Amino acid sequence: MTRTMSLAARRPAGTAPLLEVSDLRKHFALPRPFLNRVLQAEQHQLVRAVDGIDFTIERGKTLSLVGESGCGKSTVAKLVMGLIGTTSGRIVFDGVDLSHAPAGAPAKLRRRMQMIFQDPYASLNPRWRVRDIIAEPLQTYRLCASRAEETREVDRLLEFVGLNAKDGDKFPHEFSGGQRQRISIARAISTKPDFLVCDEPTSALDVSVQAQILNLMREMQRELGLTYLFISHDLAVVNFMADWIGVMYLGRLVELAPAETVFASPQHPYTRLLLDTIPDLTMARRGREPVAGEVPNPIDPPPGCHFHPRCPFAESRCRSEPPQLRETVLGASTACHAVEEGRLPPAVASGFAGGAIPTDGAHLLGKIAPPDQQLVG
Amino acid sequence: MALLEVDRLRVEFPTRNGTLTAVDDVSFTVEEGEVLGLVGESGAGKSMTGAAIIGLIEPPGHIAGGEIRLDGGRIDALRGEALRKVRGKQIGAIFQDPLTSLNPLFTVGDQLVETIRTHLPLSVAEARRRAVDWLAEVGIPAPDKRIDQYPHQFSGGMRQRVVIALALCAEPRLIIADEPTTALDVSVQAQIIALLKKLCRERNAAVILVTHDMGVIAETADRVAVMYAGRLAEIGPVKQVLEKPNHPYTAGLMGSIPRIGPRPERLIQIAGSMPRLSDIPAGCAFNPRCTRVFADCHVHRPRLAASGDGAVACLHYEGARP
Ligand SMILES: Nc1ncnc2c1ncn2[C@@H]1O[C@H](COP(=O)(O)OP(=O)(O)OP(=O)(O)O)[C@@H](O)[C@H]1O
Ligand SMILES: Nc1ncnc2c1ncn2[C@@H]1O[C@H](COP(=O)(O)OP(=O)(O)OP(=O)(O)O)[C@@H](O)[C@H]1O
Ligand code: SF4
Ligand SMILES: [Mg+2]
Ligand SMILES: [Mg+2]
């Protein structure tokens, strides 16, 4: 029927990727101010939030999407979860195409996919007791034969995530942010999913609590064999969680590679920029020159390579032709003309070789881009 | 004499269920031209400490004890005109959201000119020239055109640059920057921090940099003060606090931060979370989470005791017992 299906079908059962996403797009229409509409006889502006991305996630592994605010990470998460419909493209979960299935269906597959949100305050119903919050998916999918079994299961889940069975009778406001995120996790794993979408699950938490939640998530992956789509803008968090990393920029994947490769030999100039802007705990980079420019507006992204206005390696081809994701090194793919043409100086490893972060991040980028003036405003 | 002396500062909030102490017996100094990082988890009292120094604590919160001195003169009890003279002229402020510091109804130029003229004896034309210079200084391209635009016509990073210009244009001695980059994209954060640091260095203005981001501290601060539950846990040179932390809380905090590099199986974690202000344990506030806790920790509240080039409030250190 389709390429992805046949590809999956050729492999022995259970070894095909759990999730395969191809040419996924989501465009939002923004209503124009009335006057513009009349004057320009134009109805809408398009936000190309997700503009043609492909990735797969192997069973039991973690793919992390990273990128700055507005690049489309959460939109990908919602598309995969079926919370919003796709504009085009395919989402295949365990061999079944979900892209055109109505939300919530097919229930059997949806039970196996759950989501953890960034804000543990907003995602829990404040008027429900924690016990009922966790039991709701159990009831929706009729996973417990009796009330007693449900109670036992909720108690077990609470203890699994490091809370107390007694906590089930409390309300969300009686818990700290980290404890609330544990409650969200207990709820998410109550249906025994094999796939969790985690959208910035620790961004609202303090570092000491973040460490607890990240440790819990890694343990759950080991014990339950979970597969994660893990979204974060924090590269150090991603380094701890991810097997694979997808770097997004304005709705597109610019680099998709095994995590070690991204950190050891980042290819795309934007990936290098991101690595270069991580504040460094070793104090080695005090006084470095920061990289200039800002993320442009996704309503009217630059033509060609979206990154070209900020890129020190941009040439005329970059301004007109969008680069495709192509295999580069070690199973990594990069969407960059300069990389493809071999015009890029090799990036030097950060962190892995000697355990130390290089003293001056500027070498990652080769040369620092001049302040980008057209992006302002 | 230090530029700023915060001495046994105490900030309280009366509530229906009793008085909450948001800042509890906090003392530190800031030298001229120095960058002091103020770190700690959410609710630790960082912003409240900063607000007390600029006289911006919202009632019913109030300074309930201690003194704040600038150049030796008390500024903690100033009101009205005297307060306005210190705030803005002597001490500038930069907050997390640039929009709280900018008025959407006035052009960027109007706001700069007004601030400059409030604090410096300049004509409108002179102040405007100075405003253009400031925009150029903070890296706004084509400043002579952009000066007549409104804040919404600037991107987030550019707005924060304007706020930095506003905070610095009255030539203050001290800047309080409360999470100045938290609302910005990561690639813009580094630019803003570098700009702030450079401008303050050039003008010998001191900075209190409030943040929960240890990376920003590592790249910027000269000294660091670590707050926990309204109290100072540790203060010292940045290298000492980050690399050889004395307080068990600082040590746990540093260990729990994920880093770029070989992927560990687990992150070091501190059990539990910071207590609410309404139920801070007796003795050391950190005792329920501490790996080095002993019987005394439940009884005595540690004082800041000198250690290395800094000070630490933990009973394992000589001089910490009250
Ligand atoms: N319902 C919507 N209608 C219109 N535009 C939308 C909608 N949802 C998202 N967008 C736009 O799509 C783009 C991508 O948004 P998305 O939330 O996916 O970004 P993100 O990478 O998750 O960012 P952040 O790091 O800030 O969470 C943004 O420009 C956003 O404004
Ligand atoms: N109006 C108020 N009434 C009672 N308590 C308050 C009030 N405003 C703040 N607090 C408390 O004062 C304490 C210190 O708050 P502060 O804003 O200084 O924390 P912070 O360290 O800046 O945290 P964050 O990192 O979240 O900004 C907090 O526990 C907070 O709940
Ligand atoms: S005083 Fe006691 S509880 Fe507090 S930090 Fe030191 S050892 Fe831990
Ligand atoms: Mg998001
Ligand atoms: Mg604060």
Side-chain angles (χ1 to χ4, degrees):
Chain A
M1 176 179 91
T2 67
R3 198 177 58 88
T4 325
M5 284 291 273
S6 60
L7 208 125
R10 262 190 279 125
R11 303 195 207 200
T15 62
L18 186 61
L19 186 77
E20 310 192 39
V21 166
S22 39
D23 202 25
L24 186 64
R25 281 171 210 274
K26 180 68 186 181
H27 298 169
F28 293 106
L30 284 188
R32 284 232 164 147
F34 176 73
L35 193 61
N36 285 5
R37 236 161 32 212
V38 175
L39 291 179
Q40 303 173 1
E42 208 179 324
Q43 283 273 280
H44 291 114
Q45 268 180 315
L46 276 191
V47 184
R48 298 170 190 274
V50 176
D51 204 19
I53 69 172
D54 304 75
F55 61 82
T56 59
I57 313 181
E58 304 289 333
R59 288 164 207 272
K61 299 289 184 194
T62 301
L63 169 74
S64 267
L65 292 180
V66 300
E68 294 175 89
S69 189
C71 69
K73 306 179 296 293
S74 297
T75 306
V76 172
K78 289 180 203 152
L79 290 167
V80 167
M81 286 304 295
L83 298 174
I84 53 176
T86 61
T87 300
S88 67
R90 294 158 40 74
I91 301 164
V92 177
F93 180 76
D94 207 6
V96 179
D97 191 342
L98 297 176
S99 3
H100 302 291
K108 236 199 229 143
L109 283 183
R110 289 291 176 202
R111 178 186 68 72
R112 296 172 51 197
M113 314 171 75
Q114 294 291 335
M115 181 154 173
I116 302 168
F117 296 89
Q118 169 172 352
D119 187 354
Y121 300 80
S123 58
L124 301 174
N125 187 331
R127 280 188 285 274
W128 285 19
R129 284 183 202 279
V130 164
R131 176 167 301 286
D132 300 318
I133 291 174
I134 297 173
E136 192 199 17
L138 294 172
Q139 292 162 1
T140 308
Y141 295 105
R142 299 205 174 77
L143 296 177
C144 294
S146 66
R147 250 286 137 87
E149 190 189 330
E150 185 187 292
T151 306
R152 272 199 307 280
E153 182 59 12
V154 171
D155 291 353
R156 189 190 68 80
L157 286 163
L158 281 167
E159 277 162 18
F160 184 84
V161 298
L163 295 170
N164 196 301
K166 279 186 302 203
D167 289 330
D169 300 319
K170 298 185 187 159
F171 290 94
H173 73 258
E174 297 175 68
F175 294 88
S176 68
Q179 289 170 322
R180 282 181 233 205
Q181 201 56 295
R182 287 175 193 270
I183 295 168
S184 318
I185 292 173
R187 178 185 152 95
I189 61 172
S190 67
T191 63
K192 301 209 165 55
D194 25 33
F195 179 59
L196 281 186
V197 174
C198 316
D199 189 359
E200 309 257 11
T202 59
S203 302
L205 305 177
D206 280 315
V207 282
S208 78
V209 180
Q210 165 171 282
Q212 299 167 5
I213 298 294
L214 295 179
N215 281 338
L216 172 66
M217 294 191 62
R218 285 279 300 271
E219 267 162 44
M220 288 185 349
Q221 186 162 42
R222 276 193 291 270
E223 286 178 31
L224 310 175
L226 295 175
T227 305
Y228 292 143
L229 173 59
F230 185 93
I231 290 170
S232 177
H233 63 268
D234 184 333
L235 280 163
V237 167
V238 163
N239 176 55
F240 180 66
M241 291 301 295
D243 300 296
W244 278 72
I245 294 176
V247 181
M248 290 186 70
Y249 192 75
L250 283 182
R252 297 180 185 161
L253 271 178
V254 296
E255 185 147 5
L256 181 64
E260 313 85 71
T261 312
V262 170
F263 289 107
S265 56
Q267 297 296 307
H268 198 283
Y270 178 62
T271 311
R272 298 178 185 203
L273 180 155
L274 272 187
L275 282 170
D276 199 37
T277 49
I278 307 171
D280 171 15
L281 279 173
T282 65
M283 283 173 279
R285 289 192 287 169
R286 284 172 83 101
R288 71 192 162 148
E289 246 339 279
V291 191
E294 294 188 37
V295 182
N297 191 335
I299 293 178
D300 194 12
C305 171
H306 286 345
F307 187 62
H308 83 251
R310 296 173 83 184
C311 183
F313 310 104
E315 290 188 355
S316 62
R317 186 182 173 202
C318 307
R319 296 182 196 102
S320 53
E321 180 191 333
Q324 302 300 314
L325 208 56
R326 286 203 174 81
E327 181 131 347
T328 45
V329 288
L330 305 168
S333 305
T334 310
C336 170
H337 295 312
V339 171
E340 194 198 328
E341 294 161 13
R343 290 200 274 116
L344 223 61
V348 184
S350 64
F352 281 87
I357 295 182
T359 49
D360 171 13
H363 67 283
L364 282 172
L365 263 176
K367 154 168 111 323
I368 302 294
D372 195 336
Q373 318 221 321
Q374 69 237 57
L375 294 179
V376 175
Chain B
M1 185 198 343
L3 173 66
L4 180 81
E5 295 164 289
V6 175
D7 189 7
R8 321 198 117 240
L9 177 67
R10 191 178 171 85
V11 176
E12 291 181 350
F13 282 90
T15 71
R16 264 181 299 149
N17 306 317
T19 300
L20 298 178
T21 309
V23 178
D24 193 354
D25 199 22
V26 165
S27 304
F28 59 87
T29 59
V30 182
E31 302 294 330
E32 225 168 307
E34 175 184 50
V35 179
L36 175 75
L38 192 53
V39 303
E41 297 182 81
S42 189
K46 308 182 293 294
S47 296
M48 233 24 110
T49 303
I53 295 167
I54 8 178
L56 274 181
I57 293 182
E58 304 258 338
H62 60 277
I63 296 179
E67 291 187 6
I68 303 170
R69 292 183 294 269
L70 189 72
D71 276 332
R74 280 186 69 166
I75 57 169
D76 50 273
L78 299 179
R79 298 270 177 280
E81 190 55 30
L83 176 60
R84 255 190 302 281
K85 277 219 177 93
V86 167
R87 192 196 295 158
K89 176 69 196 108
Q90 303 282 350
I91 308 180
I94 300 169
F95 298 106
Q96 174 169 341
D97 180 3
L99 287 180
T100 58
S101 309
L102 294 172
N103 188 328
L105 300 179
F106 292 92
T107 66
V108 161
D110 290 341
Q111 300 183 52
L112 275 166
V113 167
E114 195 205 311
T115 308
I116 290 169
R117 294 197 66 222
T118 308
H119 298 294
L120 303 173
L122 295 178
S123 71
V124 174
E126 285 167 331
R128 187 177 158 94
R129 260 197 304 283
R130 175 117 14 145
V132 173
D133 291 346
W134 266 109
L135 289 179
E137 184 87 299
V138 296
I140 306 276
D144 46 336
K145 301 205 177 60
R146 307 225 34 153
I147 190 167
D148 294 317
Q149 296 189 327
Y150 291 87
H152 74 260
Q153 293 170 291
F154 287 66
S155 69
M158 288 294 153
R159 279 183 209 136
Q160 200 61 303
R161 288 172 190 269
V162 173
V163 171
I164 290 176
L166 269 176
L168 280 164
C169 67
E171 294 160 12
R173 320 272 313 275
L174 173 69
I175 293 277
I176 297 185
D178 192 345
E179 311 269 7
T181 58
T182 309
L184 303 175
D185 277 319
V186 274
S187 65
V188 180
Q189 285 183 9
Q191 302 167 9
I192 298 294
I193 289 289
L195 174 70
L196 182 63
K197 188 166 177 177
K198 168 177 162 272
L199 293 180
C200 291
R201 274 282 130 83
E202 285 168 6
R203 285 160 184 80
N204 203 29
V207 182
I208 296 180
L209 179 61
V210 174
T211 177
H212 59 263
D213 187 335
M214 284 290 187
V216 168
I217 292 294
E219 295 193 347
T220 313
D222 300 309
R223 286 190 307 139
V224 190
V226 183
M227 288 189 76
Y228 185 83
R231 307 172 183 183
L232 218 51
E234 175 162 9
I235 183 167
V238 63
K239 210 167 165 53
Q240 177 179 320
V241 174
L242 266 58
E243 289 175 0
K244 290 195 202 69
N246 280 310
H247 198 283
Y249 172 64
T250 322
L253 198 64
M254 292 310 299
S256 65
I257 302 172
R259 293 163 193 244
I260 306 291
R263 178 183 181 188
E265 272 304 296
R266 282 177 70 77
L267 296 167
I268 293 172
Q269 67 180 53
I270 312 175
S273 54
M274 202 172 66
R276 291 172 201 203
L277 293 182
S278 51
D279 34 51
I280 292 181
C284 174
F286 188 57
N287 72 45
R289 306 176 73 189
C290 184
T291 49
R292 300 180 63 196
V293 61
F294 63 112
D296 287 7
C297 305
H298 300 281
V299 185
H300 302 293
R301 172 171 168 183
R303 286 193 312 203
L304 267 187
S307 166
D309 290 330
V312 56
C314 165
L315 294 173
H316 283 287
Y317 293 81
E318 207 170 321
R321 182 182 297 265

